[in-house]
Amino acid sequence: MSKKNHVDIISEDNAKPFQPPKIFKEKALVNDEKPYREAEKDRLAFWAKKADNLQWSKKWEQVLDDSNPPYFKWFVNGKLNVSANCLDRHVENGLSDKKAILFEGEEGDTISLTYAKLLKEVNKFCNVLSDLGVARGDAVTIWMPMIPEAVVAMLACTRIGAVHSVVFGGFSPDALKDRILDSRSKLLVTADGANRKGKVLPMKGMAEEALQLCPSIEKVVIVERAGSDYEVTEGRDLLWKDLMKNADENFSPAEMDAEDPLFILYSSGTTGKPKGILHTTAGYLVGVNTTHRYVFDHHEDDIYWCTADIGWVTGHSYIVYGPLSNGSTVFIYEGTPDYPNRDRFWELIEKYKITVFYTAPTAIRSFMRWGNHFPAGHDLSSLRLLGSVGEPINPEAWLWYHEHIGKTKCPIVDTWWQTETGMIMITPLPGLTPLKPGSATKAFPGIDVDVVDDQGYSTGPGQRGFLVIKTPWPAMLRTLYEDHERYEHTYWKQYPGLYFTGDGAWKDSDGYLWIMGRVDDVLNVSGHRIGTMEVESALVDHQSVAEAAVIGKVHEIKGHAITAFVTLKEGVDGSEELLKELKTHVGKKIGAIARPEEIFFTYELPKTRSGKIMRRLLRDIAEQRDLGDVTTLMDPQVVKAIKNNYSDK
Ligand code: WTA
């Protein structure tokens, strides 16, 4: 169904697509249309076949039960264990000595764990958990730095059948408290401290602030990582190393039902209360196993590095469950890209001979801003594939990534997905899909996405609309933890029968999808819809600009006036002249309608700890509202600086 909407036609991107390099294509797992054809013919048969890649203790009876929407069940009555799929079966299949985890700490300390060793550690921690009274179905909160013990703790939960709730290590004690209370966790796994840019963040001390208000927590297990002092509550606080010392190295994996809860992961919504996104066992594992294999073109000798934190869904799906269920070697780094120097990541790629590198556009834009000489000083020739996730990647950043990191020989997989989807949903397949910088290209085989207008009709090429998912997919969230009503309301009420992603998008005439960002980031200027991302991309296209955030400031006549906050490249001064030049530049790139009304220069943009620009705060500043809670920001000082600067104008 298509409904004409004249206002919204936008121009095509006519740039010539990048074809997969010949050598890459020849060795790629997928280099023809077969998976798309199979999935088009019979979507459920496609997923059933993918489920055969896992090890089941009892085969499922039905692929999908969709009799009670929006509550779906996948692989009905199948039984399996996630940790057994990530560990035991590889050990049984001769991969005992293969490296599962290669770890490097901020100070250069290293750990490497083979699959056999990782299995032993997980088994030991299962016995520890079990002795501490954690049983099937109990919730366990994990609040840890990026260290191998975090992965061990997650896998041990899945082996016992406990439900983990990993909270990002950079969150505030208050945020930790809310998440513990909501999940009613019995046990907290944490660390004494985390190393961050040469300093120590006293995690246990901070956790204590939360624990005072969390009566459900019976025991706290502490990994000693950073040599930070902390107080011990006798009878409650226990040391990881003491508990693990004499723990038995064997533990039988619990036989879990396909639909048993696997984990809760909290994500921000439109209200203040975070949403507890609930994922279950089999569908999730089938989804991340398949997408990791195809999207990252899994090869046995890969050294795979996803730079996300374990506390985000990207860490869950593409550091832990996807790659380990495929028997991959996963590299984990504790620190940030700019400590001790701004070439830390490139140094690590060179040292570990990383082959697949998956990071976020915001990081890529920082790398661009720091300068080409940092990556140029290292041998990055081991890389064969690059990935991007988390927000739309502007073509300028894409091209820079392609040239300066991939040396034009690595395909880039721009992967669109959400905490809710669990798995990658829109993505190129690197040995097959011609790439257009800035487009996440097409839906993964077996996934039905569409772009619809406000009435729910499919839009035509070049028409802006809303991104929806038309049929259930294996790794979909099953509900919001203990809040079915919010689950139904947030995702299924907008367009009955369709899952609403909250993102704006459009399709070009080749059927390529272009994501415009969250719908609340789409502006309405004089009756025209403009994605904040489009304006940002135009600004970043200017040689002086490193990064830009655009918001719509409420405007009496136009609806919204475009206001831009811009960070300049090192060494560039923010003159009046440049301000005018930038406005003209945007006008030139998109049209007069998109010319920002106001531009402010700032040394940094306010970002959440996962690197997302907090546009809401910028809107509040521009509209001179109270800023409310800024504790989830990476650097709260940034907001103060912008605010002062703004009120000086
Ligand atoms: C955005 C992260 C454009 C999008 C995995 C989505 C993207 C939200 C992309 C989910 C991409 C993620 N291109 N936008 N490749 N990937 N997004 O839950 O707005 O942290 O709805 O999951 O990030 O963010 P979340």
Side-chain angles (χ1 to χ4, degrees), residues 125 127-134 144 186-192 204 208 211 217-224 230-244:
F125 199 58
N127 285 308
V128 167
L129 287 175
S130 179
D131 288 348
L132 295 177
V134 175
M144 286 176 96
K186 278 174 97 163
L187 186 125
L188 173 71
V189 188
T190 187
D192 60 341
K204 169 64 172 62
E208 203 55 59
L211 289 168
I217 296 284
E218 294 166 12
K219 300 283 175 199
V220 178
V221 178
I222 303 149
V223 177
E224 289 186 317
Y230 55 90
E231 284 180 16
V232 174
T233 302
E234 288 300 330
R236 186 198 67 187
D237 295 353
L238 302 155
L239 284 187
W240 173 286
K241 69 166 192 262
D242 295 344
L243 297 166
M244 291 288 269

Side-chain angles (χ1 to χ4, degrees), residues 407-424:
K407 314 288 182 196
T408 73
K409 71 178 175 63
C410 303
I412 298 177
V413 284
D414 175 2
T415 60
W416 178 92
W417 58 295
Q418 307 177 301
T419 307
E420 291 86 341
T421 69
M423 61 189 266
I424 292 170

Side-chain angles (χ1 to χ4, degrees), residues 487-499:
Y487 167 68
E488 292 179 20
H489 182 82
T490 310
Y491 306 107
W492 303 98
K493 280 271 147 49
Q494 193 93 358
Y495 303 111
L498 303 176
Y499 169 88

Side-chain angles (χ1 to χ4, degrees), residues 313-314 388-392 414-420 501 503 515 518 612:
V313 74
T314 307
S388 169
V389 61
E391 54 181 313
D414 175 2
T415 60
W416 178 92
W417 58 295
Q418 307 177 301
T419 307
E420 291 86 341
T501 63
D503 278 7
I515 312 292
R518 305 296 302 183
K612 287 210 168 67

